[in-house]
Amino acid sequence: MLLQDFYTVHRLTKLEGQKYIADITLNRYHAIFKGHFPDQPVTPGVCMMQIVKELSEGLLNRELFMYKSSNVKFMALINPEVNPDLRLEIDISGTEESDYKVKNVTYFEDTVALKLSCTFRVK
């Protein structure tokens, strides 16, 4: 985990194929929120992308790096004091030889916060 104690995975559910749902909780007391932004914390988009990367690494049991992203849409601000519980839908395709394509939709409650499509290569 790049940011220690930034989030906790409560449940990781495998659906059909390479589709998963991860239920996580952000640590609203993490130091990153003191600077982003004081008195009105917002989860940095790059941190959300890092969470998707880390979850994908765990699911594939491979160390990855993001090769490219073709679709990144931040749809709603994630305030860890108001909505610390997130649900990430992760759909992985590909192989180590052909790269891994990952599609993600992240929600808090029924609100879509992030849509992400990216390609990872094995380090």
Side-chain angles (χ1 to χ4, degrees):
M1 185 179 296
L2 187 61
L3 295 172
Q4 295 300 316
D5 301 320
F6 185 64
Y7 66 97
T8 302
V9 177
H10 295 288
R11 184 178 22 217
L12 189 59
T13 306
K14 183 175 179 17
L15 305 174
E16 74 278 351
Q18 287 284 81
K19 294 182 180 183
Y20 304 87
I21 294 178
D23 294 304
I24 70 168
T25 299
L26 298 174
N27 175 4
R28 67 183 187 180
Y29 301 108
H30 195 277
I32 202 160
F33 295 117
K34 293 176 184 164
H36 201 270
F37 296 95
D39 300 322
Q40 191 159 18
V42 175
T43 306
V46 70
C47 293
M48 290 306 305
M49 294 173 74
Q50 180 67 24
I51 291 170
V52 172
K53 175 188 177 276
E54 291 175 3
L55 291 171
S56 298
E57 287 178 323
L59 293 167
L60 294 167
N61 198 27
R62 303 265 189 279
E63 193 173 344
L64 304 171
F65 74 95
M66 187 181 292
Y67 171 65
K68 66 180 175 180
S69 59
S70 58
N71 185 23
V72 181
K73 293 182 182 178
F74 298 101
M75 312 288 284
L77 296 176
I78 301 171
N79 180 334
E81 292 180 352
V82 177
N83 299 104
D85 298 318
L86 305 177
R87 183 178 76 247
L88 290 86
E89 295 176 354
I90 298 173
D91 185 357
I92 301 173
S93 62
T95 65
E96 188 170 336
E97 293 77 30
S98 67
D99 300 333
Y100 292 104
K101 295 184 188 314
V102 175
K103 292 182 181 179
N104 163 255
V105 180
T106 299
Y107 300 86
F108 58 85
E109 297 175 358
D110 292 328
T111 300
V112 175
L114 169 65
K115 290 184 178 181
L116 170 66
S117 296
C118 55
T119 304
F120 292 105
R121 288 194 171 159
V122 176
K123 278 189 177 183

